[in-house]
Amino acid sequence: LKRTPEPVRAASSARRPRVPPFCAMVKNSAFVFIKPHAVTDKVKDLVKEVFEKKEITITKEGSIEAEEIDKKKKIDQHYYAIASKATILTPDKLAVPADKFKDKFGLEWADVLKDGKALNAMGACEKFGIDASELDKMWAACKKAGDLVKFGGGFYCGKLERDGKGPFYVFNGFFM
């Protein structure tokens, strides 16, 4: 090994900030997905460009079919706090603030639950015989009409009716 003269070594280290050894070893990883409506070559190129500018390395690319995403509940796991109220937990398992529910809808939460009028988003699709796209339209109309209450971050309930069915009180209908 050739020893670098002291003045040169000092100058070269002054150009680089000293990083503690444990910091130099830390690497983060993430699973990044582009929502289905936005998957275009232009968007994919934009993501790559932004990542390159930020010195983020893409290690693998691919696509996952909708059936696999639904079957393995990949989005539900990613957005668990929101998804749990829309697809995983039944309304009887939710911590619904009964006072806020009554203030908004004029009904006792316990009665709505007992009468089977509370549904998660998945249950609403089944009950109304619709798909996620139709539920999204119903949710938007519900929001516009003011028939929606926010209980907390990512926790909403909307009053929905369709074709003489309902009203039903649906949790996180926007999620589907």
Side-chain angles (χ1 to χ4, degrees):
L1 291 173
K2 187 175 177 185
R3 183 179 158 99
T4 305
E6 198 64 32
V8 174
R9 201 169 343 131
S12 68
S13 67
R15 279 186 257 135
R16 282 179 300 182
R18 295 196 64 92
V19 178
F22 66 89
C23 289
M25 297 184 309
V26 173
K27 290 191 178 211
N28 294 309
S29 64
F31 176 80
V32 177
F33 63 92
I34 300 170
K35 291 188 176 189
H37 70 277
V39 178
T40 65
D41 289 337
K42 188 175 179 178
V43 170
K44 290 191 279 187
D45 289 344
L46 176 64
V47 170
K48 288 178 189 175
E49 179 185 321
V50 170
F51 280 11
E52 285 173 8
K53 284 180 182 174
K54 301 288 184 181
E55 298 181 2
I56 298 171
T57 304
I58 298 173
T59 58
K60 185 177 178 183
E61 290 183 60
S63 63
I64 304 171
E65 295 298 319
E67 294 77 18
E68 182 181 349
I69 291 170
D70 287 344
K71 182 179 176 185
K72 294 185 178 179
K73 296 189 176 190
K74 289 185 178 286
I75 302 299
D76 299 359
Q77 292 170 18
H78 183 73
Y79 289 115
Y80 181 78
I82 297 170
S84 64
K85 296 164 183 74
T87 63
I88 298 168
L89 300 174
T90 54
D92 61 311
K93 304 286 190 252
L94 300 176
V96 174
D99 57 335
K100 284 186 178 182
F101 187 90
K102 186 172 184 175
D103 288 348
K104 180 62 185 175
F105 301 115
L107 301 169
E108 295 293 338
W109 167 240
D111 293 339
V112 169
L113 198 56
K114 179 180 56 101
D115 295 341
K117 296 291 185 178
L119 304 168
N120 64 19
M122 190 178 296
C125 285
E126 291 171 17
K127 186 69 78 174
F128 291 123
I130 60 174
D131 62 13
S133 178
E134 280 301 308
L135 181 60
D136 193 50
K137 290 174 188 170
M138 289 177 70
W139 191 262
C142 168
K143 184 176 180 181
K144 187 176 181 179
D147 286 334
L148 191 69
V149 63
K150 180 177 182 176
F151 294 130
F155 188 15
Y156 297 84
C157 181
K159 180 180 174 183
L160 302 178
E161 300 179 62
R162 181 182 174 106
D163 300 331
K165 295 178 185 173
F168 290 101
Y169 299 87
V170 179
F171 294 92
N172 288 4
F174 63 89
F175 181 76
M176 298 291 292

